[in-house]
Each structure stands twice: as structure tokens, then as C-alpha cells.
Amino acid sequence: MALPLPPNVSAADFRSALGEFTAAIGAQWVFTTEEDVMLYRDSYSIFWGEAEERIASAAVAPASVEQVQQIVRIANKYKIPLYSISTGRNLTYGGSSPTLRGSVIVDLKRMNKILAVDEKRHFALVEPGVSYFDLYNYIRDNKLKVMLDIPDPGWGSPIGNSLDHGVGYTFGPFRDHFGSHCGMEVVTAEGEIIRTGNGAIPNTDAWQDYHYGAGPTVDGLFAQSNFGIVTKMGFWLMPLPETYLNGKVLVPRYQDFQALVEEVSYLEDSFLIGMPQFGSPAGGALLEPPPPELGPLMQSGWPTQDQIDTYLRTTNKAAWSVTLQFYGPEETVRANWSAAKRRMAKAIPSATFQDGIFFPLPVPPEAEQNLLQPVKTAVGIPSLEIFFITTRNPMTDADPWDGHADFFAFVPRTAKAVHEASRLFYDVYREFGLPTFHNPFFTPVNYYSRSYVVATLVPTWRDPVKNARSRELFGRLVDRCGERGWGSYRTSPAFQERVVSKYSFNNSALLRFQEKLKDGIDPNGILSPGRYGIWPANMRRNRA
Amino acid sequence: MVNRRTLLKLGSVGMAVAVAQAPARAFGSTLLGDSTGLARAVFDERFAEAQAFASVFQSRGMPTTGIRGDVAALWYRDLKARLLERRLPIVGLTDRTALFCLEELARDVGMKVQGRIDHTFDQGGALTHQVTGPSAWTAAGHRLGSQQGFGRVMASLLTDPTLHGESFAAQKHTGPFSAVDRKQLVSWWIA
Ligand SMILES: Cc1cc2nc3c(=O)[nH]c(=O)nc-3n(C[C@H](O)[C@H](O)[C@H](O)COP(=O)(O)OP(=O)(O)OC[C@H]3O[C@@H](n4cnc5c(N)ncnc54)[C@H](O)[C@@H]3O)c2cc1C
């Protein structure tokens, strides 16, 4: 497969630009051969091998902010589209491939310094190439008393992950990775360096202590967008808790899910628990095929309430469960678990409780490997285990997938919304004649503490025919959820315009505003054109 | 960036032997002799074939590391720094997921999957091999047959310089998924 040229750029100009990139950062760090550039191919691409696959034209790997500035200036001169990545592991959301085919990847992997980890003020300041593993190992090796909130898999980077609104698994404020950042340094499309928050004060020693600075906050403009290349970012960290404890609540009655949701939300919003993990003993584990006994229940379509109740009586399994996680001194975690049980027992008299595990933190290095998931992730220990858990999956049995495109609908924290969304997903899969793990016992994921995610993983393949079907399925899910008023928090370039099109209030006033900003900030449209539907004026094909 | 240089380096450690046809001879003393030609042989210690693969490297004093699925500790605590310092090939016999992860990680040090042979045991235990890589590998792969014991043969194959060449086909050939009802292992070479 030949590498594409950047759109609207002549071969001669492209050659000149590559020559200037080479002069700026060294030939070793300008990648132009097919086998080098194809390393940035999205392994999970839903357009694999098709004309619309987002293939880069070249890649550059600068080592410093100054080199990033030089690259941006050269790109402006030749109107070359750039696409910046930090660690570039955004699998399911585009991997390391650009939104616009023919863009030049700016791979920031060489900018990999941990600039500060402060265990007294609880923050870190890092460059884009620092992975969660790097930061974790640094904290552990230096015995620093802070805990990371990590996403799965751990090979991503705090900067890349948070700039795509990535999420983790501990306490609410830290699970929101962009929300827990404090201060960034950005190279703009004109090649200027700006610092946000307190960082705009020269020689400040309080950059990671106050995030707003004075005047309008612009940080949000640099996430899921194309307004700048972020070269440093600060993150607030949780002080290392003294201990971790978990316990499980089991709820027999289907109808008590709302009461459970309310109690969990109370605990979560009062900062008494970390990430709640919902489950359904009667319905099976999340993202796994339903237990065999559920087959007859689902045989004639979505069951009635009576059928569900009968099913629960015969299987004698609890309808719902939630694992609550507590972090802090032993006295407080035990007291919080007691308080949670007391409140739950009052709200749901038939609820029962199981004490889980308790251990002091940090986990000694030699004990880490004995810690099972999801607890390992819940105490901030990065791994790649998620691949080993999810990739031998009965759902993919006969015909293993090559990847997946995740669709996460964000719904209100109510039982009604969760059931309705699960039903919507189920119906869409049935329209396509595909098996689905959505059933009346489907449970939400609470990544962002104030909303629920009802999730599905749409398979991707090396096979264009199967991919076409997956694309149609994905698109239908986006549309149906959009009609219902539910959006998706994040998606791959293949669906970004479609997802953004659902945020259309007042004739897409929000997108039009973002486009005006784009025109002013990046008049040549060189930075990540098309990301999240924001196209430069000369490529704005999405609207009249 | 092209790997002719690294190939030659790897090539210099051994001699051309039709290993698949004559595995016993392939373990001869001149093969695998120079531990500087290879950064690491990686094997998943959960699988007998991978253990056999490793034993060949170990018996020659070659740098060998066992994993149990997750390659993170190996990569972040060891290989990445070494390969950044000196880019030498790594080879392995693992499951597909481990290769997938290493392939993605290898980009950070400018290395690529050059060849792979996927070994699939179906439910009845029958074994098939699918070769993706330099053309010389295809012939060697066909000679692997359906007998177990391919781990040792692969160890020899991976050090045979005549079988190496450049191939783009093996790059990002599959995702990390495997069928639950089949055992899917893969021998690979990253340079
Ligand atoms: C099995 C599986 C489980 C997953 N689980 C999770 C999970 O629990 N939580 C989660 O959040 N994700 C999850 N992911 C998705 C993804 O793997 C992670 O979010 C990963 O951290 C993203 O890759 P990265 O950190 O390398 O970011 P990158 O790929 O480097 O960046 C992501 C995007 O942000 C932009 N960007 C990056 N750096 C810059 C910069 N310096 N300046 C401007 N723009 C930039 C680019 O558009 C880039 O494409 C999962 C994926 C898989 C396959």
C-alpha cells in the first residue's frame, strides 16, 4: 500500500517540507518509508485496507518543545496537516493514526521527562512521552507517597489519555483524567508557547497548585480537539491511601436497582467510596455472553417483568451486585463500609453483604503479581492484563475479532435509563441479526462519577465486508442513542463527525463556535484537521 | 532504519541450515553461538512448545526470558531501555496477545515484526501453521508439518539467517484476539 501525500500538497512541496523537518530534528527522526510509517497504522481500524483507512504520509519525532515549534512553522509554510500523539496507544479510538489521511504524525515519544512528582502537594508534571508505566515505576522506585489513577491498558500516557478524556478506576475526581489536570504548556498552530493557569506567571512556583489563573480558562480547548500541541501537563494525584478495602452488596430483587443506584450515588458523591463496580449474578459478567439459563428467558425477545421475576426465583441468584471500594486509614475504611451497609440495609432490606479484601498500601513489588484484576487497577498498578482478559472471550469464539470500536453511551444515573439503554442496544443488535450481551440485567460502568456508561464493543476486522457491517451497526447505535438524547464520550476518527453531529443544539451552534476558533487560531488548518468534527475552513465539508 | 543491518548481525551468529528438515543438526554448536546477535528470546512458560523453544536458547547461553501472558514488566523494566541503547532482534514463542503487545511497544524503539508463524491447535488437537513473512519462511513453514515439537524447530529456524528477509506482510497482521476453543500460539521475529 503506497503512502498517501498530504491532501492539497504537491509532491515537490512535500519533499521540501520533509527536507526541512530533517534539517530541524535530524534524519533519524523523520520517518518516510512505508514500513516505518505503517507502524502508526491503527491495529483496530474499522477501515483496515480500505481507501478510507487513516494512513499517515510520514512521521516525525521531535525531542524538545523547540523542535515542536520548528515542525509547526514548517508545516505552516507548506500547509502540511500534522497529527500529534503522546504515546499513541489510543486503541479503539483510532490508535496512533491520524483523523485525516495523509497527515504527518508528530510522535512525542522522545519528550519523555518526568519533570516533577511532589508527594507533599500531590501532583506530577510530565511530558507527553511519559507512560503510566514510567510514572508508576518512578513513584515506586522513589517510594513516593502518591497513588496514580490509571486507565487500562497501562501503556498509554497521562497526557494522551487525558487529552482524549480518558478515565480510570479509583476516586471520582481522579478517574476523570482531564478533570484532574492542573496546568498545561501548549505549542500553538503559530508555533508560540503558551502556559495555562498559574503557569502563565513567569517564574511561578505554583503552576500545579491552582488551575484557573486569571481570566477565561482555555485548557478545555486542547482536549478532543485540534487547537494546539500539548508539551507539558500537570496532574493532581491522590495521596497514597494507608489501606484499601472492598465489600460486595447483593440485591435479590430486580426492582431494587433504583434504590441501589441512589445509595451508591450518595456514597460516591459524598466521596465515601471509590469507583463502584456494578454486576449482576443473575445476568452474568459484563461483556460476557449471558449464562446458559438466561437463553430461554431471552428466547422470545426482551422478557416481561413477570418473566424476569420467575427467572430470578428459579435461579435463586441475586439480581444485582455492587462492589464498593474504600481508600484511607484502616479506621475510616472500616467505618465507611459499616456506614454503607447500614444505609443499604435500610434502603433495601433484602440486601446482603460480603466482606471483600483488605490490605495496606503500597503493595510490595513482589506481591503485585498476585493481585487480581480489577483490584490491581483499582489501586493504581498498571498492567497490560486487560488484553489477556478480553481477547480470549466466548463472544469472539468462532471467529476471533482483530479489534473493537467501543461505543459508550452516557446516560443519567437511574435504573430506568440503564434498562432503556440496554434494551436499545439489544434491539439494534437484533436488527443486525447479531448476538448481544445486552439483557435486562446489563449493568452500567461508572467511569465519570456523575454519569453511567452503557457500553458495547463493536468488532473490527482485517476483512472489509465484516467491517462494513460493523460500521453500519456502530452508526445505528450512535443515531439511536442520539435520538434519545444520549451521546458518546469518545470515539475513533471513523465516527467523530457522526458522534459530534448529535450535539446539534441550536443548529450546531457549539460546533460553529469551535470552527470560528479554529479559523482564528489555526488559519492554515495544520493541526489535526477533522478531529472531533472540527475541520479547517477549506475542508469544511460537513456543513452547508 | 531498514533492517538489513540487523539481519546481518543476526545472520552472523549462525550458519545456513535447513533446520526444519534436520532439527538435530540445527542445534549444532555453531548455531546460536554468539549471544550478542540477539537481544532476547521470549517464551510464554505456560505452554510446553514455548518451553521447548526456550530450552534451545538456554542451552546455548542465549538471553532468554519467560513470561506468563503480560509482557509489561519485561518491556518497561528491561527490554525497552536495552533496545533503545542497542537495537538487536528479539524472537519469541508466545500467544498472539503477547506478540500484539510487543509489536505495538516495539514502535517506540523503531523495531517491527519481520516474520511470524501462527500455530493453531484445533479442538481435536490437530496442528496447523500459517506463515507470514519473508518468502523463505513460507517453505520452511510448510516443512513444519502437523507434529508437535515445533517449538524446538522454531528456535532453530529463527536463528537461520538464510530464512530471513524483509517482509512487510507480517506487520500488524492480526489483532490480539484468539479463539477460546483453539490454542493459538505464534513464533515471531522482531527487528
Ligand atoms: C482493552 C482496552 C481497554 C481500554 N481501557 C481504557 C480505560 O480504562 N480508560 C481509558 O481512558 N481508555 C481505555 N482504553 C483506550 C486507550 O487505550 C487509552 O485511553 C490510552 O491511554 C490512549 O492512548 P494514549 O494514552 O497513548 O494517548 P494518545 O494515543 O497519545 O493520544 C490520544 C489522542 O489525543 C490527542 N493527543 C495526544 N497527545 C497530544 C498532544 N500532546 N497534543 C495534542 N493532542 C494530543 C491525539 O489526537 C491522540 O490521538 C482502552 C483500550 C483498550 C484496547
Side-chain angles (χ1 to χ4, degrees):
Chain A
M1 190 188 291
L3 295 178
L5 273 177
N8 310 322
V9 176
S10 70
D13 274 0
F14 190 47
R15 259 196 314 276
S16 303
L18 291 175
E20 291 190 33
F21 287 146
T22 303
I25 67 172
Q28 202 190 348
W29 304 111
V30 178
F31 305 101
T32 55
T33 65
E34 189 177 339
E35 64 166 13
D36 282 334
V37 176
M38 286 301 198
L39 291 176
Y40 295 93
R41 210 172 173 184
D42 175 13
S43 295
Y44 284 14
S45 174
I46 204 163
F47 279 113
W48 186 270
E50 296 181 60
E52 285 197 61
E53 188 184 344
R54 274 66 171 170
I55 306 274
S57 54
V60 293
S64 65
V65 183
E66 294 70 30
Q67 290 191 352
V68 174
Q69 289 178 285
Q70 283 175 285
I71 288 165
V72 164
R73 290 187 186 121
I74 297 162
N76 264 311
K77 181 170 159 192
Y78 295 99
K79 305 206 169 35
I80 308 275
L82 303 175
Y83 190 83
S84 36
I85 56 171
S86 290
T87 35
R89 313 242 180 261
N90 208 10
L91 291 168
T92 86
Y93 304 116
S96 40
S97 69
T99 307
L100 176 68
R101 189 179 164 90
S103 302
V104 171
I105 301 286
V106 181
D107 183 348
L108 299 166
K109 66 180 175 185
R110 294 172 68 213
M111 296 174 63
N112 57 2
K113 286 196 274 303
I114 296 170
L115 300 164
V117 178
D118 192 310
E119 60 171 347
K120 307 285 184 212
R121 282 144 69 207
H122 311 128
F123 70 78
L125 178 66
V126 293
E127 291 187 334
V130 173
S131 70
Y132 284 98
F133 278 107
D134 298 329
L135 192 52
Y136 177 76
N137 288 340
Y138 178 89
I139 288 168
R140 198 178 71 177
D141 293 351
N142 290 287
K143 298 188 168 42
L144 299 174
K145 299 255 177 243
V146 285
M147 185 170 87
L148 287 182
D149 184 290
I150 53 158
D152 262 323
W155 60 10
S157 47
I159 293 189
N161 180 277
S162 62
L163 291 182
D164 211 21
H165 291 166
V167 286
Y169 296 88
T170 67
F171 251 100
F174 300 102
R175 297 208 297 273
D176 171 357
H177 292 164
F178 188 77
S180 61
H181 95 274
C182 183
M184 43 170 83
E185 179 187 87
V186 185
V187 173
T188 67
E190 291 164 324
E192 265 214 287
I193 304 174
I194 59 173
R195 287 186 173 178
T196 68
N198 266 3
I201 304 174
N203 301 322
T204 184
D205 59 357
W207 193 7
Q208 273 61 61
D209 299 275
Y210 182 56
H211 52 318
Y212 290 141
T217 318
V218 297
D219 297 45
L221 289 177
F222 301 108
Q224 287 196 350
S225 73
N226 46 21
F227 295 133
I229 300 179
V230 177
T231 48
K232 289 181 186 68
M233 220 164 146
F235 293 93
W236 286 331
L237 304 177
M238 187 164 164
L240 182 72
E242 288 177 23
T243 70
Y244 169 87
L245 177 142
N246 71 26
K248 197 178 222 175
V249 184
L250 290 155
V251 175
R253 272 175 20 104
Y254 190 83
Q255 295 83 346
D256 282 335
F257 191 48
Q258 177 59 24
L260 181 66
V261 161
E262 285 172 22
E263 279 310 313
V264 170
S265 296
Y266 174 89
L267 296 170
E268 167 95 308
D269 297 350
S270 308
F271 303 107
L272 295 172
I273 55 169
M275 184 180 191
Q277 288 164 342
F278 288 100
S280 169
L286 186 67
L287 304 186
E288 281 192 6
E293 59 269 29
L294 205 71
L297 179 69
M298 300 300 292
Q299 213 161 29
S300 336
W302 199 262
T304 63
Q305 188 59 54
D306 280 350
Q307 288 170 317
I308 292 171
D309 291 340
T310 309
Y311 170 78
L312 282 172
R313 265 196 309 277
T314 47
T315 57
N316 202 24
K317 287 181 184 164
W320 310 107
S321 69
V322 67
T323 300
L324 303 178
Q325 312 193 82
F326 303 88
Y327 303 83
E330 181 171 358
E331 301 90 316
T332 66
V333 296
R334 292 201 187 282
N336 283 339
W337 175 219
S338 291
K341 284 191 279 192
R342 174 179 55 72
R343 286 187 60 92
M344 292 276 182
K346 188 165 176 220
I348 311 166
S350 58
T352 57
F353 305 96
Q354 291 172 355
D355 289 339
I357 55 172
F358 168 82
F359 54 86
L361 291 168
V363 176
E366 61 281 6
E368 276 183 13
Q369 63 187 26
N370 303 329
L371 216 54
L372 296 179
Q373 297 293 15
V375 173
K376 197 177 200 169
T377 312
V379 294
I381 301 173
S383 80
L384 298 177
E385 286 168 15
I386 187 79
F387 287 112
F388 297 87
I389 295 167
T390 56
T391 55
R392 289 183 76 85
N393 181 332
M395 290 295 286
T396 69
D397 194 357
D399 188 6
W401 308 350
D402 284 303
H404 45 100
D406 295 1
F407 179 69
F408 286 9
F410 271 62
V411 306
R413 286 182 299 174
T414 65
K416 183 171 168 286
V418 171
H419 298 331
E420 194 186 335
S422 308
R423 175 73 196 265
L424 186 156
F425 279 53
Y426 170 85
D427 287 342
V428 171
Y429 271 82
R430 292 259 295 200
E431 283 164 28
F432 281 78
L434 294 172
T436 168
F437 40 72
H438 299 92
N439 61 51
F441 298 98
F442 197 76
T443 49
V445 191
N446 208 179
Y447 288 121
Y448 280 90
S449 59
R450 297 296 177 129
S451 59
Y452 282 164
V453 161
V454 174
T456 190
L457 275 57
V458 175
T460 65
W461 317 85
R462 295 291 183 263
D463 177 343
V465 176
K466 291 185 198 162
N467 273 345
R469 191 181 59 173
S470 283
R471 288 198 296 269
E472 212 187 319
L473 170 68
F474 197 107
R476 185 91 48 96
L477 287 165
V478 174
D479 290 348
R480 288 282 165 78
C481 286
E483 285 158 20
R484 180 57 190 76
W486 298 327
S488 172
Y489 91 120
R490 187 176 176 193
T491 192
S492 74
F495 302 105
Q496 283 172 2
E497 285 197 48
R498 191 147 181 177
V499 162
V500 163
S501 75
K502 307 301 165 199
Y503 295 76
S504 60
F505 170 75
N506 190 20
N507 189 25
S508 300
L510 179 60
L511 181 59
R512 285 186 285 117
F513 181 74
Q514 290 161 343
E515 287 171 342
K516 277 183 212 149
L517 290 175
K518 181 73 177 169
D519 294 344
I521 293 169
D522 180 11
N524 291 322
I526 57 155
L527 296 184
S528 305
R531 185 156 162 74
Y532 281 90
I534 306 168
W535 290 98
N538 64 344
M539 294 185 187
R540 205 160 288 154
R541 55 184 181 210
N542 58 328
R543 289 217 315 272
Chain B
M1 246 127 328
V2 176
N3 297 296
R4 181 80 56 198
R5 247 176 310 129
T6 32
L7 284 183
L8 291 175
K9 242 182 254 161
L10 181 64
S12 69
V13 308
M15 58 181 193
V17 182
V19 285
Q21 280 177 327
R25 191 156 56 94
F27 306 135
S29 58
T30 49
L31 206 68
L32 309 175
D34 177 1
S35 62
T36 58
L38 187 70
R40 197 65 52 89
V42 181
F43 71 105
D44 192 320
E45 51 197 38
R46 295 171 302 173
F47 306 112
E49 292 287 0
Q51 287 169 7
F53 173 90
S55 68
V56 175
F57 290 91
Q58 283 158 346
S59 69
R60 300 292 169 194
M62 303 290 286
T64 308
T65 302
I67 56 165
R68 298 183 73 79
D70 196 348
V71 297
L74 168 65
W75 184 261
Y76 285 99
R77 283 291 189 180
D78 175 353
L79 272 186
K80 184 178 177 187
R82 278 174 205 273
L83 295 173
L84 279 172
E85 210 170 274
R86 185 154 181 235
R87 220 165 63 188
L88 290 174
I90 55 174
V91 297
L93 205 171
T94 62
D95 67 7
R96 284 158 68 130
T97 312
L99 171 59
F100 173 82
C101 291
L102 280 171
E103 174 161 30
E104 294 284 326
L105 291 164
R107 185 183 67 220
D108 290 352
V109 295
M111 290 169 66
K112 315 160 180 86
V113 174
Q114 301 288 346
R116 59 184 285 166
I117 301 187
D118 287 78
H119 317 283
T120 302
F121 299 84
D122 72 14
Q123 269 170 319
L127 173 63
T128 51
H129 309 279
Q130 194 205 352
V131 187
T132 322
S135 51
W137 277 44
T138 316
H142 286 146
R143 293 198 300 269
L144 280 173
S146 57
Q147 303 298 314
Q148 303 218 0
F150 64 86
R152 296 179 73 83
V153 179
M154 282 311 310
S156 303
L157 189 61
L158 283 166
T159 56
D160 180 352
T162 63
L163 295 179
H164 294 160
E166 284 157 29
S167 170
F168 178 60
Q171 221 168 294
K172 304 209 175 191
H173 185 60
T174 66
F177 288 84
S178 292
V180 178
D181 60 351
R182 280 160 278 165
K183 190 157 81 177
Q184 294 190 286
L185 301 181
V186 56
S187 306
W188 46 264
W189 167 44
I190 295 177

